[in-house]
Amino acid sequence: MISLSSSSFFLADYLTQQLHKNNYHAGQFSYALKHDYIAALTIAEKTANIASTHWLTLNQTLAKSQKNAALKLAYWYQKKAQQEDNIALVTTAIMWFEQAIRLQSQQAMVALAQLYFQQGKFALAQTTLGQLPAMINNINLAETHSVLAIKIAVSLGDVALVKQLVNSTVFKQEANSKIQPLLAQLDKYAVIKDSPLLISKVNGQVQLPFEALSSCITSLQLFATNLEHLKHLEQLINSFNEQQVLAQYVCLPIPRYISRKRLDCQAHAQQAIYCNEAHWQSVAKDVTSRHIGLMLNEGGANVHLGILYFDVEDNADVFSHEISHLLGFVDEYPLSKNHDKCQGVQHKPFAHNIAVLANYYQGERKQVRARVLAEVAWASKIKASTPILQAVDENFNEKIKWRLGTPIAFKEQVGLYLAESCQQSSTGKALSASHVAPRYSAFKPLNRRTQLRYFANEFPQEYLNILKAKPFAYLMPSFHYNIALALYQQGDIVGAKFWLAQAAVWESEALRKARILSGSF
């Protein structure tokens, strides 16, 4: 039993002093720990096994008044949440960060802002970071704060704030190993200034950038709304260039930043990304590529005319698949029932790899074959010895003589094989002697599945040969056409005509290059 005269001094103060001096016996320590003396709790916490129930209990008690304990718990729960991919633990981490902030922890303010930033909650991150005082004594914390403040502003699309922060006296005083790479990124991705236009002249004529490399069929300028996505785009481009055969036909300049404030997009998981494309007017004057692409945090990849949309989860296989659409290839998996290319037999060829044609024909074989091949983009790659018509039993329908399609015996040859592309639109009643329904199907050159069917499959050499034969025949229009169409749909006829004229310039350039490559110019 402890016997002390409380009239001469305060017991709590005395025991705390003894604990700090490491001049105490077991009874005193037990008493202090039982009554939650901070000094005793701190000593016990240091010797407890990290992550044990005892360690957690001690820190939870200390965190009521000690910011470092609250911060320690926050970091622990944050790390555990990452290891276990547990959202509930993230919530617990946030709770302890907030407790540390209530106890005036500047480090907790920055750490919580970083967590919100990683979650894509940029407004919350900015608000949390805004709690810090103007002057931060800890140099490392001040540097981290400055870098994070700029990254948040970039992600929010607040370019004016980015410029203000970069030009601030505080930021310039903190130029160091953390800040210099950030400044380099801002410059590289044209965040606060326009990138130089890569326009040159050959024989007095303006030469558009994609013509710089003879193998380039098109040029694609990619955009993203934050620095992490821009770095990811560079990695994606590298993977595409190293792994995908289509890389030789597409010029991909350094990705560029676009403020989210300059966009109006709908992007949700499992749904195709959709944007108001009239907004691309704001960057068009600084872009010298035929096509543009936008990577967002989520949303289904798709190509709309001259613009490619995809999300951060899409890999080089998906990217290559979408680029093939810009080059004039069509999906070989089932398209939507109302897809415009699947509403009936085509009026003329529209893609390198798909033709929508009638299933059955009448007439003399040679004439029918010639008529069909005139509608097929890859006709020159079909050998004369490869059949594309199969005789129909007269009992089936006496007026019909041929069913379109290359027999399975020739499956290794380029021919006409049923594709799944229009199977949701072209189904109809079966043909009979008494009823002939106007049925049609999508046909493709190969009997095997390609990257146009499954992203991970190969892009076949046969398709590359077809592409080389007519590289510009089915190239998607320049993105300026997207702007023109959007403005037309919004009733701005004058604006639509202007951008249509810009698109026409790209078409004439593509035609000129096609003539040069074919030797007819």
Side-chain angles (χ1 to χ4, degrees):
M1 180 177 180
I2 299 174
S3 178
L4 295 169
S5 174
S6 60
S7 62
S8 58
F9 54 84
F10 291 103
L11 177 57
D13 291 343
Y14 170 75
L15 286 181
T16 298
Q17 289 175 10
Q18 296 303 102
L19 290 167
H20 282 314
K21 293 176 182 178
N22 198 26
N23 183 26
Y24 58 89
H25 54 71
Q28 290 174 319
F29 181 76
S30 178
Y31 179 89
L33 193 61
K34 181 179 179 181
H35 289 81
D36 291 342
Y37 284 20
I38 298 301
L41 291 168
T42 302
I43 292 171
E45 191 273 339
K46 288 179 179 179
T47 59
N49 291 326
I50 294 176
S52 66
T53 302
H54 185 48
W55 181 86
L56 287 170
T57 301
L58 288 167
N59 274 295
Q60 288 167 3
T61 304
L62 283 166
K64 294 176 181 177
S65 60
Q66 305 299 302
K67 61 185 179 184
N68 288 339
L71 189 59
K72 188 180 294 185
L73 285 169
Y75 281 136
W76 185 82
Y77 278 108
Q78 184 180 20
K79 182 179 180 180
K80 190 173 178 62
Q82 292 171 343
Q83 293 172 340
E84 300 180 8
D85 192 22
N86 189 319
I87 296 176
L89 292 176
V90 174
T91 303
T92 304
I94 291 172
M95 178 190 76
W96 288 115
F97 276 130
E98 290 174 340
Q99 172 61 10
I101 290 171
R102 280 191 286 271
L103 296 171
Q104 302 303 308
S105 170
Q106 294 184 1
Q107 188 174 344
M109 295 173 192
V110 173
L112 182 55
Q114 285 178 320
L115 176 54
Y116 283 141
F117 179 74
Q118 291 165 3
Q119 292 179 323
K121 299 175 181 178
F122 305 127
L124 262 177
Q126 190 174 63
T127 300
T128 303
L129 204 61
Q131 299 178 64
L132 279 160
M135 297 301 295
I136 304 171
N137 295 328
N138 184 307
I139 295 176
N140 185 59
L141 196 63
E143 294 167 354
T144 303
H145 164 268
S146 294
V147 169
L148 184 56
I150 289 173
K151 287 184 176 181
I152 292 170
V154 169
S155 298
L156 286 171
D158 195 342
V159 177
L161 179 57
V162 175
K163 292 179 179 178
Q164 179 185 327
L165 291 169
V166 168
N167 294 320
S168 68
T169 303
V170 174
F171 186 80
K172 290 178 179 179
Q173 290 174 345
E174 295 168 359
N176 56 60
S177 58
K178 286 184 180 179
I179 288 174
Q180 289 304 324
L182 176 61
L183 290 174
Q185 288 178 17
L186 296 177
D187 183 62
K188 180 179 187 179
Y189 301 129
V191 175
I192 54 178
K193 66 177 182 180
D194 294 331
S195 60
L197 298 181
L198 304 177
I199 295 179
S200 59
K201 288 190 176 183
V202 175
N203 297 326
Q205 286 188 313
V206 172
Q207 185 180 35
L208 295 173
F210 77 85
E211 293 183 304
L213 298 176
S214 60
S215 63
C216 259
I217 293 174
T218 188
S219 50
L220 173 62
Q221 177 64 66
L222 296 175
F223 288 89
T225 61
N226 63 65
L227 295 175
E228 292 305 312
H229 284 183
L230 286 162
K231 287 189 286 185
H232 179 73
L233 275 180
E234 280 204 276
Q235 294 170 355
L236 182 66
I237 289 172
N238 290 336
S239 296
F240 174 72
N241 288 335
E242 292 170 2
Q243 302 169 11
Q244 304 293 330
V245 294
L246 286 180
Q248 61 189 306
Y249 303 113
V250 183
C251 286
L252 292 162
I254 294 172
R256 286 183 51 185
Y257 170 76
I258 183 169
S259 165
R260 61 193 295 185
K261 292 183 177 180
R262 298 170 82 172
L263 297 170
D264 178 14
C265 298
Q266 299 295 320
H268 305 288
Q270 310 304 319
Q271 295 181 24
I273 295 170
Y274 170 80
C275 296
N276 179 350
E277 293 174 342
H279 286 238
W280 286 108
Q281 293 178 89
S282 66
V283 300
K285 66 181 179 66
D286 300 320
V287 174
T288 55
S289 292
R290 179 186 180 95
H291 296 133
I292 58 176
L294 175 65
M295 186 178 77
L296 296 175
N297 196 55
E298 62 180 354
N302 68 95
V303 165
H304 179 229
L305 299 172
I307 303 180
L308 187 162
Y309 298 105
F310 61 116
D311 73 29
V312 71
E313 298 298 328
D314 292 327
N315 60 20
D317 292 333
V318 177
F319 186 57
S320 177
H321 175 100
E322 298 303 330
I323 281 182
S324 73
H325 295 329
L326 293 176
L327 295 172
F329 291 86
V330 172
D331 289 318
E332 293 175 359
Y333 56 73
L335 299 171
S336 62
K337 187 175 182 179
N338 59 353
H339 195 282
D340 62 340
K341 298 301 183 184
C342 294
Q343 300 311 301
V345 173
Q346 66 186 41
H347 298 295
K348 63 179 180 178
F350 61 87
H352 291 296
N353 67 314
I354 292 293
V356 180
L357 304 168
N359 286 333
Y360 297 92
Y361 292 85
Q362 303 175 43
E364 193 271 325
R365 181 194 287 267
K366 186 176 180 180
Q367 293 176 344
V368 172
R369 180 184 175 97
R371 193 165 81 238
V372 169
L373 290 181
E375 293 291 326
V376 177
W378 60 94
S380 64
K381 304 302 178 183
I382 301 177
K383 296 177 181 179
S385 58
T386 303
I388 62 169
L389 298 167
Q390 300 180 57
V392 173
D393 187 341
E394 289 185 5
N395 293 328
F396 176 63
N397 189 300
E398 61 183 16
K399 294 183 179 180
I400 291 177
K401 297 186 67 174
W402 312 107
R403 176 166 59 84
L404 189 60
T406 297
I408 195 67
F410 293 82
K411 65 180 181 179
E412 300 302 325
Q413 303 295 320
V414 174
L416 287 176
Y417 302 96
L418 284 173
E420 297 174 65
S421 307
C422 295
Q423 69 178 21
Q424 296 193 72
S425 305
S426 59
T427 54
K429 295 180 180 179
L431 294 180
S432 66
S434 61
H435 180 75
V436 180
R439 291 192 62 188
Y440 57 92
S441 294
F443 291 86
K444 60 181 182 176
L446 302 179
N447 190 50
R448 65 183 186 271
R449 289 174 171 174
T450 72
Q451 195 175 79
L452 276 301
R453 179 59 179 86
Y454 292 115
F455 298 141
N457 285 0
E458 66 164 355
F459 194 92
Q461 182 61 46
E462 293 93 334
Y463 282 13
L464 294 179
N465 295 337
I466 293 169
L467 177 62
K468 290 175 185 176
K470 295 182 179 180
F472 302 99
Y474 308 110
L475 195 61
M476 285 291 182
S478 77
F479 75 94
H480 307 84
Y481 186 84
N482 292 64
I483 299 173
L485 179 60
L487 291 173
Y488 175 79
Q489 291 172 337
Q490 294 168 21
D492 184 354
I493 306 303
V494 174
K497 287 182 177 179
F498 172 81
W499 288 107
L500 197 59
Q502 303 305 305
V505 172
W506 283 92
E507 296 314 308
S508 63
E509 287 296 322
L511 180 61
R512 183 173 70 86
K513 187 174 181 183
R515 287 173 176 168
I516 292 172
L517 293 178
S518 66
S520 62
F521 184 73

